[in-house]
Every structure is written in C-alpha cells, then in structure tokens.
Amino acid sequence: MVPPEYYLLLSAAVFCIGLFGVLTRKNALYFLMSVELMLNAANINLIAFSLFWGNMTGQTFALFVIALAAAEVAIGIGIILVLYRNFGTVSVTDATTMRW
Amino acid sequence: MVAAFDFVPAIVLLPFVSFLIALFAGKYMPKGGALAGIAATAGSLLLSIWVAISLLGVSGERIHQETIYTWATGIGDQPWELTFGVLIDPLSALMLIIVTLIATLVHVFSLGYMNDEGETGLPRYYAGLGLFTASMLGFVVADNLLMAFMFFELVGLCSFLLIGFWFRRDGPPSAAKKAFLVTRFGDYFFLIGVVAVFATFGTAQFAGPESFPVLAEQAVAGDTSVVNTTFGLEPTQWFTIVGLLVLGGVVGKSAQFPLHTWLPDAMQGPTPVSALIHAATMVAAGVYLVARMYGFYAVSPTALAIIAFIGGFTALFAATMGVVKREIKQVLAYSTISQYGYMMLALGAGSYVAATFHLMTHAFFKALLFLGAGAVIIAMHHNENMWDMGGLKDKMPVTYATFLAGSLALAGIFPFSGFWSKDEILYEAFIYGLNDPLLLGGWVMGLLAVPITAFYTFRMVFLTFHGEPRSETARNPHGFGWNVKGPLSVLGVLAVVAGFINMVPVQKLTGIELDFLTQYLDSGGEGLTYSGYNALLAEYGGYEAGVVGTEVTTLLIAAGLSLGLAVTGLLVAFKLYNVPEPVEHTAKLGQVKDVLYNNYYQDEFQVWIAHRTQSVAAVADKFDQGVIDGVVNGVSSVSLFGGRRMRKLQTGLVTNYAALLTLGLTALLLAFGLLGGWFV
C-alpha cells in the first residue's frame, strides 16, 4: 500500500499549482481552473485518508465536493460570461468599477 | 373600590391620547381635534371623581401607592430604584379633580375663543392643551420626586409651546422663550435638589415607611445612620439646603419673587391657555410640589420661614404692580403671582390645609376670571385695554355676573370662596407669626396686599363693565355662544360655593362641624396627614400658636382685619372708578406709577444681569464648541483618517486578495510553528 505521505505530497503539489495560478494569472478562466485544482487537492486528501483509515466518510465527502465544484463552475462560467459582456474582456484586473 | 385605582394611569393617558389624535389626525377632524380633547379631559374628570369617591370609601388610611414601571435599578450595593408610580391620597385626588375640571372647561371655552374666531393651527393648539394636561396630571399622581421632576419639565415645555402659539407675531415667541428660560433657571436648582435627595436618602419616594420625608424625620430625631449628609453638616442644616434647592424649581414655576417675571409676559399666549396655566397646571405645580413633600419641609423650619417670607413679599409686591396696569390680562397676571404668594405664605406658616384650600378656590375663581376676560376680549375684538372698555355689563350679563363672583372671591369678600381660604391663610400666619418674627413679617405683607388686591380687582371690574362705553367696539361688542357661557357659569357657581367646604372660622365660633376639607386632608396615609405635619412642625420647627386674648378674639381680629381691609380696598375702587367717565387716578402717583408700571424695572434688571454674565456664557460656549464638540469631532476625524488609509487595501483585484490570504496563512503557520517549537 502506498504510504499516505505520497498522497499528501501530491495533494500539496496540486494545491500549490492552483494557488500559483490564482496569484499569477489574469484570465478569469485560468482562475476557475486553478480553483478546481485546489478543490481537487482537497479531494485527494479526503480519499487518501479514507483509504488509510478504511472509513467511507471521506469518499462521501469527496463526492459532495465534486458536485459542489460542478455547481461552482456553472456559476463561475456565468459570471465570466457577464464579465465579458460588460467589459469586453475576461481579465480580472479590468473589472474595477465597484472599487472605491 | 380597588377597580378605580387601576384606572389612575388612564387619567394621565387619556389627555395624552388626545394630544396624539390632535397632532396626527387633527386636521382631518371637524373642530381641529377639540372634540377629542374635550372627550379625553371629560373622561379624565369622571375617572378622577370616581377615584376620589373610592378614596373616600376606604376606611382607615386613605392612600394608594403603586409602582407601575421600574426603569432603572442600582447594581451592587446601590439599592436605588428609579420608578414610575402613582400615589393617590386626599391631596392628589383633590388636585386631579381640579386639574381635569379646569382642563375640560378650558377645552370647551377654546371652541368659542379659538374655533369660532377662525384661528389657524388648531390641531397644534389642541395637541398642546392635551399634552399640557397630561403632563400636569402625571406630575400630580407622581409617587417620587424624580418622576415629578420629569413631568414638571414637560409642563414647562408645554407652556413654552402654548405661550408661543402665535409664533408669527413678535411678542409670543419671545415671551415663550422667556418663560422657558426663567423657569429653567429655577429647575436647575430643582434638579440638583433631586440628585441631593437621592444622594442623601437613596430614595425619592413621597410616601411609605421608606420615603424620604420619613427618613428625614428619623434623621432629625437623632438616627443619622439612615442618611448621608454632605460636607459634614448636621441633618437639619443639610435638609434646609436641599429643601431650598427644590424650592428653586417651585419659585420658578409658581412665579415667586425674583423669578416671577415670566408670568406677565406669558399673557401673550391665547387666553384659555392663560387660564389653564394660572389656575390648574403650570403655576399650581410649584405650590403642589411643596404640599406633596411637606413632611420633608416640616422638619426644616428655616426653609419654611424663607418660603413664608418669599410668599408674603411676593403677595404684596405683585399686588402693587397690578394696580396700575391697563390691560385686563395683565391685572389678572399680577393677581395670580400675588395669590400664589399667599399659598407660599400658608405653606411657610405651617398651614398645609390653608394652602391646599386656597389652591383649590383660586383655581376656580382664577380660571373663571381668565375665561371671563377671554369673553371680554372676544367681545372687544381682541382689544385688551381696559380704558377702551366700559359699560359692558348690560351687553354681557352672564359674563358680568360670573366675573363679579370671581372678583369678589379674589378680593376675599365674605362669603365668596376666596374669603374663606385667604382668611384661613392670614389667620394661620398670624397665630404662628406671634411667635416668629419672620412669619409675622410675611403676615403683615400678606395683610397689606389684601386691600390692594381688592382695589385692583374692582378697578378692573368697574373699568371693564361699568360706566359709559369708551370706544366703538365697547358700544357694539362681538357676541359669543354657549361654549363661552357654559364654562363661565360652572366656574361662577364654584367660585361662590367652593369656600363652604372648609369654614373653620364658623366652626370655631359656633362649634358646628364645618371643616370638611381639613378632615379630608387629615385622612391620608401615615406621615401624609395634616395632623402628622402639625406634630412634626411643633416638634422640630418650634411652631407654636399664639393667641391674643382668647382663641375667639384672635380669630375675630384676624378675620375682621382682612375682611375690613378688603372692603376698604373695594370701596376706594368703587369711589374712584364706578363713575360714568373714570380717569386714570393712578397717574397722580407720579413717578411711583412709572416704577410700578415698569414692574420695578425687574425685567431691565434681569437683562442687566444677563449682560453682565455674557462673558461666563461666552466661556461656556467656548467650552461647548471647543472641548465637548472637539472631542466628538476628533473621534470622527480619527475614524475618517483611518478609513481613508484602510481603503487602499481594497484594490478591486482578486489576485491581491488571494495573495493577502496566502500571506496571512503563511504568517499564521509560521507563528504557530515558532510558538509550537516545530523548528527546534
């Protein structure tokens, strides 16, 4: 059996890639993908520990997170669409009209 | 029986409801809210009568006290409770009937004086009347000094609103401001007095075993553990100071010297309001307050002597000014100051019953005189100058008859109501004055004021109603309806008969029991009775009745003197002014007349003081603008400055927020790590 440390390392790596994307990219679509990566990093953790402890709860949670992520993407895509219609771009730096 | 006392709060609330109705719905109502006001005050009157009858039905101690709402309690070892409650005893029940009766009649009269004369702003007027009545009733039923103070202030506010009713003219707003400021000056001392009472006794209840008059008596009797006096003073000295502080409010509201100057100017308000202020509400509040906490004053004879002296002096002082006035309402204004001086004299002389008695009879005949003057003013197309009147008695018989009854009562002519009450005051001041020079001084001044009162009263009557008409309007006076005559008739009857409820002199001469009011006021709860106060006065005040010869000769001397002097004043007025073409005899007084006509230059004196104190006011203004407002403004500018800096954080870039989140998480992890010792 693969020891849990490997899973945790994988999960941390995926999370950091997602975080890097959020911090560096300007395109809203990249943002969405990065957030997905971070969510899935959490999923990896949940399933790894579920396997390790032999407990189904973690896997159930992971299923819920996947469903949630799907919903989130639907809303995110919608927001991006409106963003594009209003500003003619999907760059997050241009939507600054609500700022002080 | 018990049921009646449950309705005591309703007595106060009914006029308050009429205030709300007149204020918010008055302009949609046919008489501008007058009918709601009449219904509410009449309802209060009926409830008050019911309460008074129920009180008579109580055997034993006639007292009902109930705490309705406790709005603050002390914490820790401060057992203070600030409450709203009602206290019904013979005194407050009597006062409730007086106030509600006068208020009802004034509302009815207002139909004739305001509605029929086509005044505008009627909802505001009736709202003011309703609130005025409600505040006074709240003051009357108050069972503690703090609640009394609150309603006392409300009464002052309402008088401000009503005196300044015609705010578009020049005079009324300034008169309203003056009334407000002068009474506020007195109330300032009253407020300190209330705080002092709390600090001294830890309670401000008027009645009951834990009330402050009872505690004061215990302290004077030697048990000083129940009070905290300040500055290391003896209880008696400290109580005198506290009593005088509270007296400040009384002097302001009851228009006693030197704070009487607001009252003549208050004549700028509508005449029914003047009737309400003078007879039942505002001015009566001061005297009522002293009567309410009489047990407290009874143990400090110095305060009482000062009250008596101020009262006697005011009675004489105001009477002299009434002699020369040209306007009918001005004469009445000075007579009010003078009559309240008598009440203060009675209170100071230890005669609680005489003061209450005069408060009652005065309420009836002064309301009558003011409403009568209001009728004359309607008839004269709002000309108040008596020198333009004359000969009105044939054209206005009802007004003349009732006005005459009120004048005879005011002058103290046998057997009208004013005679009985004023005679009792002078008799009591005389017998106790025989052993106390200060009281005797008060009595002499009160006695001197008697002929002057009779003189100016009948000068007014003769100038207004007798002789030949001296102007076109007096020849063809304006008519008025039942709503003017009705209240006048009711009060006219009361002004004649109200004195019969306490004919003490007759009782002393004949032995027939006729002192109903005395017995009634003697039936209250423990420590709130007439005989209870007398015992206190005799024990701690050194009040001892003196006699000239026997009691009967003393009585005859006192009564004979006051009646003889009153008749003399009346006859002089009759001689000088009951002629077809009267002339200004007061002009012969020369410079004295100018001094009197200008009110001894009291107003100028107060203005002079005001100018002298402007620098103090300027400093206070600086403090207010600089320190108080400075602190407030400083706090807000710190917030503004901080906010202006902090908002730079909100860039609108999601990336920055995410970076901050990550940095925060990293910082937290590092902190936990360092503290948890992961890196060691």
Side-chain angles (χ1 to χ4, degrees), chain A residues 19 22-23 31 92-93 95 99-100, chain B residues 647 650-653 655 659 662:
Chain A
L19 187 62
V22 168
L23 290 180
F31 256 68
V92 291
T93 50
R99 207 171 53 168
W100 43 271
Chain B
R647 74 176 184 192
Q650 197 173 359
T651 54
L653 296 180
T655 319
T662 317

Side-chain angles (χ1 to χ4, degrees), chain B residues 257-596:
Chain B
F257 180 82
L259 298 182
H260 63 278
T261 49
W262 65 269
L263 194 135
D265 288 13
M267 292 299 107
Q268 299 275 2
T271 308
V273 172
S274 307
L276 197 58
I277 289 182
H278 288 228
T281 50
M282 174 122 172
V283 193
V287 170
Y288 179 80
L289 180 67
V290 178
R292 179 77 286 174
M293 49 189 280
Y294 203 66
F296 180 71
Y297 281 106
V299 296
S300 62
T302 320
L304 276 184
I306 292 172
I307 292 176
F309 198 78
I310 291 180
F313 180 71
T314 310
L316 178 60
F317 182 70
T320 56
M321 291 186 275
V323 169
V324 296
K325 296 296 172 189
R326 293 195 185 95
E327 288 174 345
I328 185 164
K329 279 176 77 181
Q330 288 287 322
V331 176
L332 289 175
Y334 284 101
S335 81
T336 301
I337 302 178
S338 173
Q339 296 304 307
Y340 278 94
Y342 277 114
M343 289 172 218
M344 299 290 276
L345 172 64
L347 289 167
S351 183
Y352 164 78
V353 170
T356 316
F357 188 26
H358 199 52
L359 185 62
M360 185 192 80
T361 56
H362 175 265
F364 295 146
F365 67 69
K366 189 50 63 69
L368 168 64
L369 287 173
F370 264 109
L371 296 187
V376 169
I377 291 167
I378 298 175
M380 293 295 297
H381 298 278
H382 293 262
N383 179 354
E384 296 178 14
N385 191 342
M386 293 191 293
W387 290 100
D388 292 338
M389 298 177 187
L392 290 172
K393 73 175 150 75
D394 303 325
K395 281 139 192 153
M396 327 164 57
V398 176
T399 312
Y400 174 64
T402 51
F403 200 85
L404 193 64
S407 301
L408 287 165
L410 172 59
I413 305 293
F414 181 85
F416 292 86
S417 59
F419 167 75
W420 302 104
S421 51
K422 202 186 283 183
D423 180 61
E424 198 172 328
I425 291 174
L426 290 169
Y427 171 69
E428 298 270 345
F430 179 54
I431 57 169
Y432 291 112
L434 286 173
N435 292 320
D436 184 344
L438 210 54
L439 272 183
L440 197 66
W443 174 72
V444 168
M445 289 188 290
L447 199 64
L448 284 177
V450 169
I452 305 177
T453 308
F455 176 75
Y456 70 67
T457 310
F458 278 89
R459 173 178 172 266
M460 170 177 73
V461 173
F462 292 137
L463 281 181
T464 310
F465 291 101
H466 290 240
E468 296 295 322
R470 286 182 295 275
S471 69
E472 192 48 45
T473 41
R475 257 170 236 114
N476 290 307
H478 190 298
F480 40 75
W482 65 270
N483 45 29
V484 169
K485 290 173 191 160
L488 284 178
S489 311
V490 173
L491 287 168
V493 172
L494 282 172
V496 177
V497 302
F500 298 141
I501 63 167
N502 204 32
M503 294 192 286
V504 176
V506 179
Q507 178 180 359
K508 288 200 173 130
L509 290 179
T510 61
I512 309 167
E513 198 171 277
L514 287 167
D515 59 339
F516 305 115
L517 185 71
T518 313
Q519 289 178 16
Y520 175 64
L521 288 175
D522 208 9
S523 63
E526 191 194 353
L528 288 177
T529 61
Y530 178 51
S531 45
Y533 293 145
N534 275 350
L536 285 180
L537 284 168
E539 191 172 351
Y540 303 109
Y543 274 62
E544 196 183 333
V547 286
V548 181
T550 64
E551 198 182 6
V552 172
T553 48
T554 320
L555 182 73
L556 287 176
I557 289 173
L561 262 179
S562 63
L563 187 60
L565 285 171
V567 172
T568 313
L570 198 160
L571 287 178
V572 172
F574 182 80
K575 187 88 177 52
L576 291 178
Y577 290 102
N578 191 24
V579 290
E581 298 289 338
V583 290
E584 279 199 63
H585 293 286
T586 48
K588 289 175 200 150
L589 292 169
Q591 289 206 319
V592 179
K593 191 212 160 181
D594 288 336
V595 172
L596 292 179

Side-chain angles (χ1 to χ4, degrees), chain B residues 49-377:
Chain B
I49 293 174
W50 186 27
V51 164
I53 291 173
S54 307
L55 196 68
L56 284 176
V58 176
S59 54
E61 290 188 349
R62 286 176 184 157
I63 184 165
H64 167 78
Q65 190 190 354
E66 188 185 354
T67 299
I68 290 175
Y69 179 59
T70 305
W71 51 276
T73 40
I75 48 169
D77 57 347
Q78 305 289 332
W80 298 359
E81 281 201 335
L82 308 183
T83 58
F84 287 125
V86 295
L87 170 64
I88 297 294
D89 71 335
L91 177 67
S92 56
L94 177 71
M95 195 67 191
L96 279 181
I97 294 183
I98 297 174
V99 175
T100 49
L101 175 68
I102 306 283
T104 311
L105 294 176
V106 163
H107 270 88
V108 175
F109 187 87
S110 298
L111 284 177
Y113 196 84
M114 305 296 285
N115 292 46
D116 294 355
E117 297 287 286
E119 294 287 349
T120 52
L122 286 172
R124 188 161 52 86
Y125 175 77
Y126 285 108
L129 282 191
L131 188 60
F132 206 175
T133 313
S135 344
M136 184 63 191
L137 291 171
F139 172 73
V140 169
V141 298
D143 76 335
N144 65 70
L145 196 58
L146 187 64
M147 178 181 171
F149 177 75
M150 292 175 177
F151 283 99
F152 205 67
E153 293 304 294
L154 268 179
V155 168
L157 169 74
C158 297
S159 73
F160 170 77
L161 295 174
L162 285 169
I163 293 169
F165 175 70
W166 286 308
F167 62 91
R168 286 188 183 84
R169 300 183 196 165
D170 287 338
S174 120
K177 238 182 285 173
K178 183 171 176 184
F180 195 72
L181 288 176
V182 173
T183 53
R184 204 66 41 238
F185 181 72
D187 291 347
Y188 175 70
F189 296 103
F190 184 14
L191 177 60
I192 301 176
V194 173
V195 175
V197 165
F198 264 109
T200 311
F201 303 106
T203 177
Q205 294 291 322
F206 287 132
E210 293 292 309
S211 62
F212 71 91
V214 174
L215 293 177
E217 189 205 335
Q218 286 174 8
V220 175
D223 182 12
T224 49
S225 62
V226 293
V227 295
N228 317 305
T229 57
T230 318
F231 312 125
L233 291 170
E234 289 294 307
T236 334
Q237 295 169 323
W238 176 241
F239 295 161
T240 304
I241 294 173
V242 174
L244 290 178
L245 282 171
V246 175
L247 190 67
V250 174
V251 166
K253 277 281 191 301
S254 279
Q256 298 296 295
F257 180 82
L259 298 182
H260 63 278
T261 49
W262 65 269
L263 194 135
D265 288 13
M267 292 299 107
Q268 299 275 2
T271 308
V273 172
S274 307
L276 197 58
I277 289 182
H278 288 228
T281 50
M282 174 122 172
V283 193
V287 170
Y288 179 80
L289 180 67
V290 178
R292 179 77 286 174
M293 49 189 280
Y294 203 66
F296 180 71
Y297 281 106
V299 296
S300 62
T302 320
L304 276 184
I306 292 172
I307 292 176
F309 198 78
I310 291 180
F313 180 71
T314 310
L316 178 60
F317 182 70
T320 56
M321 291 186 275
V323 169
V324 296
K325 296 296 172 189
R326 293 195 185 95
E327 288 174 345
I328 185 164
K329 279 176 77 181
Q330 288 287 322
V331 176
L332 289 175
Y334 284 101
S335 81
T336 301
I337 302 178
S338 173
Q339 296 304 307
Y340 278 94
Y342 277 114
M343 289 172 218
M344 299 290 276
L345 172 64
L347 289 167
S351 183
Y352 164 78
V353 170
T356 316
F357 188 26
H358 199 52
L359 185 62
M360 185 192 80
T361 56
H362 175 265
F364 295 146
F365 67 69
K366 189 50 63 69
L368 168 64
L369 287 173
F370 264 109
L371 296 187
V376 169
I377 291 167

Side-chain angles (χ1 to χ4, degrees), chain A residues 1 7 10 13 18 30 35 40 60 66 69 74 82-83 86 88 95-96 99:
Chain A
M1 195 170 110
Y7 293 110
L10 174 66
Y30 284 140
V35 171
N40 281 311
T60 321
I66 290 167
V82 176
L83 191 71
N86 278 296
T96 53
R99 207 171 53 168

